[in-house]
Amino acid sequence: MTLVAEATQAFARSLDVDETLRNTIARFSEYLHAEAGAVFLVDGGRLVCASCVGPVDITGQSLPLHSGIAGRVLDRRRPEIVHDVRREPAFEASLDRRTGFVTRSLICVPLVVHDEAIGVLELVNRREGSGRFRERDLHLARVLASAAALAIHNARMVASLLEKERIERELHMARSIQQALLPAEPGAGGGLAGCNVPATEVSGDFFDYVPLSDGRWFFSLGDVSGKGTNAALLMAIVSSLLRCLAREGLSPAPLLAHVNREFMETAVRGMFVTVVAGVYDPGTARVRIANAGHLPALVVRNDGRIEEIPASGPPVGVLERVAYEEVEIDLDGGVLYLFTDGIVEGGAALGVAGLRARLARAHRDGGHPEDPCRLVELGAGGRKDDRTVLVIDPRRARAGVAGGRLLESRIRASPDALRQMRRQLRGTLAALGLSTMTVDRLVLAVDEALSNVVRHAYGAPDRGDLVLRVELQDGWLRFVVEDEAPPVDPERIRPRAGDPLEPGGLGLQCIERIMDRVRFTHREGGRGNRFVMEKRIMGGERGLPAT
Amino acid sequence: MAYPLREQGNCVTVVLDGEVDLAASPAAREAILEAVSRGRHVIVDLSTVEYMDSSGVACLVEGYQVARKKGRRLVLAGAGQAVMNVLALARLDRVFPLFPDTAAAARDCGA
């Protein structure tokens, strides 16, 4: 039985089935005194020799599937011993004719895995004694067959896993190429920002914005019917086409009509795209926009009122001749939200009504626009569809471009007033779409600066006020802390180096590690100090300011 | 605001919570020093701390130093991201013994 044990173990260990199969057939053939041995596997409607030993190599040669002795063994899943093939009318002689080999006797055993016959094992022509195989030979052959069947099955599983992994790798590559098509940074000084999360590795959704030569910005957001690679390819074509034509100076409605014509000529039958396209002027905060079969674009006003820009025509790729309408909207005192149905439909999504309520509430309560990357998380529960959001916020744009003030707040210089200030600051920073980590760190740095004013500049609580201003300019966030305390010696405003357990200076250390630039001055007129901290936030992470 | 102490054998746990900032750190300091004076092992439970500034960190440092002088042990348990961030910024994240929760910290002091 050692032979059987060895063969079984060899199969269990080996992933190189061909080699193991050959060795095992050889050893069993030898042990059972067979002249030749072969394994045939079902492949493309034939029984194809996967491995063999013997005087002729028949690897790759095949037998018919449902006739002959092998075919019968396969169909019945019952092993057979044939002592003399000349007396066996079913014997399939084609292989012998082709190779010149003469088959006299044989053992044929089915290879069965999980109730499926995947092939047969044949041992041919017993060389010893009577030349007839015995019943106990059959028993050994069956053991060999079950080990071989399992090994072949395992190897096939591994191969299909490798194939799956290869496909995943390719999808991943497609995904990164596709991501490269999406804008990497907020546009128009932060006024335009989008976020896309695909349901699979590749997405049929897209958003885009690009500056035009006259200072305006073209933007688009769309959803290609279907999912996966086809949808992704079409998405790439449509978004590129939109971008190119927009740069040629076409305004949104004729642009969509033009893309529709192109699409009807070239695209795959049965696929279509819903698109919102528009042009945004940061100087006037006005938007011209057209909607081809897409969900309504929403303009949310500061008081929570919502205006809709519904579709003015069918999706691109449905009808030959279409004309779209264009509307112009003043975004002053409002924010424009574009989104795909993955945000509002399916899974844990809010539905359009839920999204509207949420946006209205957010604007009424804080006046802060919703961050696109937070909105895409809303539909995350379902994960059946791609999720994409594009937000146009003229206030943020003005802040970014013109050096806008995001926050100015005055508090008593007292420990228990700091919490309130942190809360305000956190809201302001979160509205910029910064990551939680970045917001946490910036809040800590500013809190440390405020604490230092309370502790060191005033020396005791409630001796005066302090003012925090936050400004955004050219990708730099600036935090200015001013007090009315007696001027502090700049030499004292230096972080301590060395042993981290040494008390004092910890706050300044934190500030210096978080901020990019820090400076301390006395205020004009000889009363009060000014501490300025700056942090660069634009131009890094995809769709988000860098940290 | 006073922070509660929990005593078990020679192990005292200080439970800090919420925002340990300039306003709260005097109470935190008092609680930590009290714990150090009482127990051979002190666990500072930070699992419900949402925010900590350098004045909060300074309390931990002072407690740690006083404990060390007395030949006692002070460990931190359940520090979340907010606390770990500030400890890392102050380069103190490798100074304190850290445990994922108070149960693990208690096992450490053999309670």
Side-chain angles (χ1 to χ4, degrees):
Chain A
M1 267 334 258
T2 43
L3 183 64
V4 173
E6 272 174 32
T8 315
Q9 278 171 10
F11 276 128
R13 271 196 307 271
S14 172
L15 286 178
D16 183 0
V17 184
D18 291 345
E19 177 71 15
T20 317
L21 206 52
R22 226 191 89 77
N23 287 341
T24 312
I25 297 169
R27 296 194 63 184
F28 272 80
S29 298
E30 196 181 336
Y31 187 73
L32 296 177
H33 307 291
E35 185 183 4
V39 163
F40 291 85
L41 297 176
V42 177
D43 186 0
R46 305 271 298 173
L47 270 169
V48 181
C49 178
S51 187
C52 67
V53 295
V56 293
D57 184 1
I58 55 164
T59 308
Q61 305 261 18
S62 67
L63 294 168
L65 199 52
H66 298 294
S67 64
I69 297 164
R72 195 167 65 201
V73 166
L74 185 78
D75 286 344
R76 294 182 183 165
R77 298 183 193 182
R78 255 203 330 258
E80 289 188 31
I81 296 180
V82 178
H83 297 305
D84 187 350
V85 296
R86 285 170 303 181
R87 296 198 186 164
E88 178 54 70
F91 177 67
E92 168 67 41
S94 59
L95 255 185
D96 276 9
R97 276 202 300 278
R98 252 177 282 157
T99 58
F101 185 82
V102 180
T103 305
R104 291 185 302 273
S105 61
L106 59 82
I107 283 184
C108 188
V109 188
L111 303 176
V112 180
V113 185
H114 300 321
D115 265 352
E116 188 196 354
I118 60 168
V120 298
L121 164 76
E122 271 192 1
L123 297 172
V124 180
N125 296 352
R126 191 165 200 274
R127 283 179 306 213
E128 303 288 314
S130 63
R132 295 158 72 101
F133 288 105
R134 297 156 302 182
E135 280 300 318
R136 63 185 185 94
D137 295 341
L138 186 64
H139 174 70
L140 267 176
R142 287 170 81 162
V143 174
L144 168 63
S146 58
L150 199 60
I152 291 161
H153 175 73
N154 287 345
R156 284 176 173 175
M157 292 291 286
V158 168
S160 85
L161 274 178
L162 287 176
E163 173 68 5
K164 207 171 141 219
E165 196 178 299
R166 188 185 62 80
I167 291 169
E168 272 170 12
R169 233 182 3 252
E170 278 175 14
L171 276 176
H172 191 72
M173 260 168 60
R175 164 85 179 135
S176 50
I177 292 169
Q178 196 176 34
Q179 280 289 309
L181 291 173
L182 302 176
E185 292 171 30
L192 281 154
C195 201
N196 161 264
V197 179
T200 54
E201 278 287 333
V202 287
S203 178
D205 282 6
F206 65 89
F207 72 92
D208 190 26
Y209 38 79
V210 56
L212 303 173
S213 53
D214 58 4
R216 296 183 307 159
W217 285 70
F218 169 74
F219 63 88
S220 64
L221 172 139
D223 184 354
V224 177
S225 66
K227 295 184 189 66
T229 321
N230 281 348
L233 277 173
L234 207 54
M235 163 257 156
I237 293 167
V238 172
S239 69
S240 312
L241 195 57
L242 283 166
R243 185 185 263 240
C244 283
L245 291 170
R247 278 185 166 148
E248 292 296 315
L250 276 184
S251 88
L255 175 69
L256 288 177
H258 197 117
V259 172
N260 184 61
R261 270 200 305 282
E262 290 282 333
F263 196 97
M264 291 306 291
E265 281 171 24
T266 54
V268 187
R269 207 173 283 275
M271 296 191 86
F272 59 89
V273 189
T274 66
V275 197
V276 180
V279 175
Y280 162 61
D281 185 343
T284 60
R286 295 182 86 81
V287 162
R288 291 190 71 79
I289 192 168
N291 184 340
H294 196 79
L295 289 166
L298 301 180
V299 178
V300 186
R301 299 296 175 184
N302 290 348
D303 58 6
R305 272 183 308 119
I306 294 182
E307 296 150 31
E308 281 193 359
I309 303 141
S312 65
V316 164
V318 174
L319 296 176
E320 288 285 348
R321 254 176 256 273
V322 282
Y324 296 98
E325 277 167 33
E326 206 168 286
V327 287
E328 184 165 325
I329 301 153
D330 189 350
L331 274 190
D332 196 24
V335 174
L336 177 68
Y337 292 89
L338 308 179
F339 50 93
T340 58
D341 52 12
I343 302 297
V344 289
E345 288 172 10
L350 294 172
V352 176
L355 179 68
R356 289 178 58 126
R358 183 188 160 114
L359 292 176
R361 204 165 46 239
H363 281 256
R364 247 193 338 263
D365 291 353
H368 289 306
E370 289 263 26
D371 175 53
C373 287
R374 211 152 1 143
L375 283 176
V376 295
E377 289 311 316
L378 286 181
R383 285 194 185 282
K384 289 212 181 81
D385 210 349
D386 306 326
R387 288 169 284 131
T388 308
V389 175
L390 176 61
V391 178
I392 302 182
D393 178 8
R395 277 175 308 176
R396 205 182 280 183
R398 273 201 291 277
V401 172
R405 183 161 298 172
L406 304 179
L407 175 70
E408 173 154 6
S409 185
R410 172 182 287 266
I411 55 166
R412 283 176 306 113
S414 154
D416 47 20
L418 297 180
R419 177 182 292 221
Q420 169 60 21
M421 190 71 112
R422 285 199 299 271
R423 206 132 296 162
Q424 269 188 332
L425 179 62
R426 183 171 292 279
T428 302
L429 295 177
L432 290 176
L434 298 168
S435 68
T436 311
M437 175 79 169
T438 304
V439 172
D440 283 350
R441 289 166 66 100
L442 292 173
V443 168
L444 176 69
V446 172
D447 188 39
E448 295 294 348
L450 301 174
S451 296
N452 278 341
V453 172
V454 175
R455 284 206 290 189
H456 304 303
Y458 285 113
D462 290 316
R463 286 202 182 157
D465 286 356
L466 57 77
V467 173
L468 169 67
R469 280 201 310 274
V470 183
E471 297 156 356
L472 178 64
Q473 188 170 31
D474 301 329
W476 285 86
L477 259 179
R478 181 179 305 119
F479 305 87
V480 183
V481 177
E482 290 180 339
D483 61 50
E484 288 145 7
V488 172
D489 180 2
E491 281 299 299
R492 283 180 56 199
I493 315 294
R494 267 206 310 218
R496 308 229 179 134
D499 187 356
L501 287 180
E502 195 67 28
L506 260 183
L508 271 170
Q509 258 182 45
C510 291
I511 293 170
E512 296 238 320
R513 283 175 185 146
I514 291 166
M515 296 293 181
D516 293 317
R517 297 199 289 235
V518 174
R519 61 182 186 277
F520 174 80
T521 55
H522 294 155
R523 285 173 70 191
E524 302 76 16
R527 182 147 184 87
N529 306 282
R530 175 182 293 127
F531 190 63
V532 182
M533 298 165 282
E534 290 176 309
K535 176 78 181 172
R536 178 145 187 86
I537 59 162
M538 295 297 182
E541 264 176 87
R542 165 169 314 286
L544 280 173
T547 54
Chain B
M1 174 164 39
Y3 294 105
L5 299 186
R6 282 201 312 259
E7 229 167 323
Q8 193 176 23
N10 55 11
C11 181
V12 183
T13 303
V14 188
V15 186
L16 301 186
D17 78 334
E19 301 182 75
V20 186
D21 65 352
L22 197 59
S25 55
R29 177 177 181 270
E30 200 176 310
I32 291 171
L33 292 180
E34 173 66 23
V36 172
S37 73
R38 281 204 220 165
R40 289 190 46 77
H41 294 281
V42 175
I43 300 168
V44 184
D45 181 359
L46 300 168
S47 55
T48 53
V49 172
E50 293 152 18
Y51 177 81
M52 181 176 278
D53 73 353
S54 67
S55 70
V57 172
C59 302
L60 299 178
V61 171
E62 189 178 352
Y64 179 75
Q65 289 174 324
V66 172
R68 207 161 54 166
K69 253 180 232 144
K70 293 185 173 178
R72 298 176 172 189
R73 182 169 164 85
L74 180 142
V75 305
L76 309 184
Q81 206 51 56
V83 174
M84 285 313 296
N85 282 346
V86 63
L87 286 179
L89 280 166
R91 304 288 190 265
L92 289 166
D93 47 342
R94 269 182 281 235
V95 170
F96 293 99
L98 298 168
F99 292 90
D101 49 45
T102 49
R107 278 195 296 279
D108 165 72
C109 67

